[in-house]
Amino acid sequence: MPRRGLKSNWLKFIKDDDLEQIRFAIVEVLAEVGVLMEYRPALEILADHGARVDWDTSVVKIPEDLLERALLTAPSRFTLYGKTPEYDVKVDLDRVYTIGGSCALSVLDLDGKHRLAVRQDLVDLTRLLEEMPNLDIMHQIVVPSDVPELGYELINFATCYSVSKRNYYSQAQSAESVRDQVRMAAVFQGSEEEALRRPTFTEVVCMVSPCKHEKQNSEVLMESARHGIPLYIEVDALCGATTPAPIAGTLVEQGANVLAGVVLAQLVNPGTPCIFSIASGIIDMANGAYSGAAPETTLIHAATAQVARRFGLPYQGGTGIDAKLPDAQAGYERALQVLTNILAGTNFVHLSYGMMEQMLLASYEQVVIDEEIIAAAFRIARGFEVNDYTLSVDLLARVGPLGGHFLTQRETRDFYRQDRWVPHITDRNTWDTWQAAGGKDMRQAANERARALLAEEKPWAVTHEQAAEIERLAQEGVRKAQERKERM
């Protein structure tokens, strides 16, 4: 059975009239301000379909009718395929899923050391993430320091794709990299035709604010669209620096920037799945740093869920937290972030496991703690039912008011089994009982659980022979990328 996420759309921060104002402002910016696109083939296809291009500045202005035609072909329902059917993810505008990652440069390891990430960390953290029941999409959680910068995404693809059964959230530095990844997926799926018919990976392209599409991202976007590979079209706005300080202004810039990419993808290949994506945050004027866990950042992410839904597109939001240790700050930041996003109907809550220090640091212990927080948040979002059974009038009549209780009632036993969330590392004992059990805090409990999970040797998603061939193709792709650079 495929994964069908919890339906959630409980929390709204934008009134209907205000949402229409935001929509009109996005349309106006696209049509009258425009987007800078550095990739000439992107400008050419947009011009051929009615966009106005200034060939001197490479700014393209997209009229509303072209936007509307593109949105008609952009699907709001599709499947992101896993390596086996139980990891298929059914996407629509209501269901909520989680994504791991992404791209931290350092790790906080299980000995408490802060150091640069290496490839073995990518293997181990991917294995650990694979054991998290509420993770739906796998992403590279670190960029190892011991792999070449040019073509690193191919090494990361080979690692994560080989370990994980989940759909893989990938990225590429060129069109050739996209084709290399198709070839690597084909090793597992049997042929390139099957890898394209049922793509087990996606690509993300990260646009620059304000309103700029760099050459590399347009090239990757167009190549992915040609192959029908689903796209996360992402803007990483810095509210107050690269986008206007008011949250409403940031929503407008994000919308125009992302939708320009959606239009381009639909012109290249109508029907390409496009996910409206952000990893935006505010700038902390006290230190000039990005804050992924500020309350205003969470407001941006929750409100963008409404904007994306208004345009009929699935939405990815969520950011890493700012804490550096798995401590009280990390707990409150992650809890507020994921609970708000889940309640707001963010279809993909990204960076939801282990990501800390403004996305620079990945923590093994925080991965385990975040699973606990996410599971509790999903339980809250699931709510409760009101019907004849749960109103329990017959049960109340049977037990009565004369000193009875419900512990021995069959209904109590049955209801607990189906309704109550069971924590794994949360302690609910009294002080004395907790002390008798070792008096461990949550970080210690997470450390023990992570070590135990990593000690279990479990088979990878692909065979040893397939992993070796995928690795060979990745190394070949890196070599070709380096040769292309030397020829430039």
Side-chain angles (χ1 to χ4, degrees):
M1 295 288 288
R3 298 169 83 91
R4 299 184 189 276
L6 175 80
K7 288 187 175 182
S8 178
N9 182 14
W10 296 42
L11 193 58
K12 295 181 180 178
F13 289 98
I14 310 174
K15 294 182 290 188
D16 290 345
D17 289 348
D18 292 341
L19 186 58
E20 286 309 295
Q21 288 193 65
I22 291 169
R23 179 192 174 281
F24 291 141
I26 290 171
V27 170
E28 182 177 339
V29 169
L30 274 173
E32 299 182 17
V33 177
V35 175
L36 171 61
M37 288 195 182
E38 296 178 339
Y39 193 48
R40 189 174 178 89
L43 294 175
E44 290 172 348
I45 192 171
L46 284 161
D48 288 345
H49 288 81
R52 289 183 293 134
V53 175
D54 183 327
W55 297 101
D56 293 327
T57 63
S58 298
V59 170
V60 57
K61 297 178 180 178
I62 300 173
E64 184 175 4
D65 65 318
L66 179 54
L67 170 65
E68 292 298 333
R69 291 203 303 274
L71 291 173
L72 285 175
T73 62
S76 57
R77 299 169 64 95
F78 50 87
T79 300
L80 297 180
Y81 295 101
K83 291 192 179 66
T84 55
E86 62 266 34
Y87 289 101
D88 289 353
V89 169
K90 296 292 184 181
V91 181
D92 60 30
L93 300 185
D94 297 320
R95 298 182 189 278
V96 177
Y97 299 97
T98 64
I99 307 175
S102 106
C103 299
L105 300 178
S106 300
V107 295
L108 187 63
D109 68 22
L110 288 171
D111 294 323
K113 295 177 181 174
H114 179 285
R115 55 175 173 74
L116 286 174
V118 295
R119 192 173 181 189
Q120 189 60 47
D121 289 308
L122 184 60
V123 173
D124 291 341
L125 281 162
T126 304
R127 287 178 55 224
L128 184 60
L129 284 161
E130 190 72 353
E131 296 303 314
M132 300 298 116
N134 284 290
L135 178 71
D136 297 295
I137 304 290
M138 187 62 74
H139 187 190
Q140 53 187 359
I141 190 169
V142 296
V143 175
S145 59
D146 53 352
V147 303
E149 182 177 343
L150 192 61
Y152 79 90
E153 78 276 11
L154 299 175
I155 303 299
N156 283 12
F157 187 104
T159 306
C160 298
Y161 190 86
S162 296
V163 171
S164 176
K165 298 182 179 66
R166 291 167 166 84
N167 183 275
Y168 179 55
Y169 181 115
S170 189
Q171 60 192 100
Q173 297 190 62
S174 66
E176 184 61 36
S177 178
V178 174
R179 294 190 287 272
D180 286 338
Q181 292 173 38
V182 172
R183 284 190 279 273
M184 287 192 280
V187 173
F188 170 76
Q189 296 187 259
S191 68
E192 291 188 23
E193 290 74 18
E194 183 64 11
L196 297 179
R197 187 185 72 81
R198 193 177 181 275
T200 48
F201 70 97
T202 59
E203 297 286 358
V204 61
V205 286
C206 300
M207 307 310 183
V208 177
S209 294
C211 295
K212 180 179 178 181
H213 291 198
E214 294 177 313
K215 175 180 179 297
Q216 170 185 309
N217 285 321
S218 294
E219 180 184 332
V220 170
L221 181 151
M222 293 179 68
E223 189 67 15
S224 300
R226 285 189 194 100
H227 287 81
I229 297 169
L231 283 158
Y232 295 88
I233 301 177
E234 181 174 301
V235 170
D236 304 333
L238 190 55
C239 179
T242 65
T243 57
I247 288 176
T250 289
L251 298 180
V252 172
E253 192 282 336
Q254 290 179 162
N257 210 346
V258 168
L259 290 173
V262 173
V263 172
L264 179 58
Q266 297 308 310
L267 292 180
V268 172
N269 184 8
T272 299
C274 294
I275 299 167
F276 188 127
S277 305
I278 68 166
S280 304
I282 66 160
I283 184 171
D284 186 331
M285 292 299 183
N287 57 15
Y290 164 95
S291 174
E296 297 86 355
T297 296
T298 299
L299 277 173
I300 291 171
H301 285 252
T304 306
Q306 286 181 255
V307 176
R309 196 176 296 115
R310 176 63 184 82
F311 287 98
L313 295 169
Y315 164 62
Q316 170 221 284
T319 68
I321 56 179
D322 298 332
K324 287 78 182 168
L325 295 170
D327 58 7
Q329 179 181 340
Y332 99 76
E333 287 180 341
R334 182 71 77 207
L336 287 178
Q337 190 180 80
V338 299
L339 182 59
T340 305
N341 271 286
I342 290 171
L343 291 176
T346 296
N347 302 116
F348 295 95
V349 184
H350 191 200
L351 301 148
S352 47
Y353 283 86
M355 294 298 295
M356 312 183 77
E357 193 199 357
Q358 294 93 16
M359 296 186 270
L360 295 170
L361 177 66
S363 162
Y364 287 75
E365 293 158 340
Q366 192 65 41
V367 167
V368 177
I369 295 170
D370 287 341
E371 169 63 26
E372 192 87 340
I373 294 171
I374 290 167
F378 272 124
R379 175 61 193 92
I380 292 170
R382 187 154 56 87
F384 59 89
E385 295 183 25
V386 177
N387 53 42
D388 287 344
Y389 175 72
T390 61
L391 288 170
S392 307
V393 175
D394 294 341
L395 180 60
L396 283 161
R398 191 164 73 238
V399 174
L402 302 177
H405 62 75
F406 298 89
L407 288 173
T408 57
Q409 300 300 313
R410 176 179 53 80
E411 289 88 343
T412 302
R413 181 194 63 206
D414 293 345
F415 192 76
Y416 255 76
R417 286 176 175 167
Q418 65 179 345
D419 183 76
R420 294 295 188 265
W421 169 63
V422 179
H424 289 285
I425 58 171
T426 299
D427 188 276
R428 293 171 171 171
N429 289 308
T430 62
W431 179 273
D432 289 342
T433 306
W434 171 67
Q435 279 287 304
K440 298 166 189 165
D441 64 21
M442 180 168 268
R443 183 175 177 183
Q444 291 171 311
N447 189 296
E448 287 186 1
R449 184 162 178 77
R451 288 181 186 276
L453 290 170
L454 289 173
E456 298 177 21
E457 288 294 335
K458 294 191 176 179
W460 287 16
V462 304
T463 66
H464 178 75
E465 292 75 17
Q466 289 171 335
E469 177 61 10
I470 291 171
E471 176 70 16
R472 187 191 68 76
L473 290 172
Q475 296 293 348
E476 183 179 280
V478 171
R479 178 180 54 75
K480 289 188 299 183
Q482 291 170 339
E483 289 173 354
R484 285 196 301 274
K485 183 180 181 182
E486 289 169 1
R487 289 196 298 269
M488 293 176 65

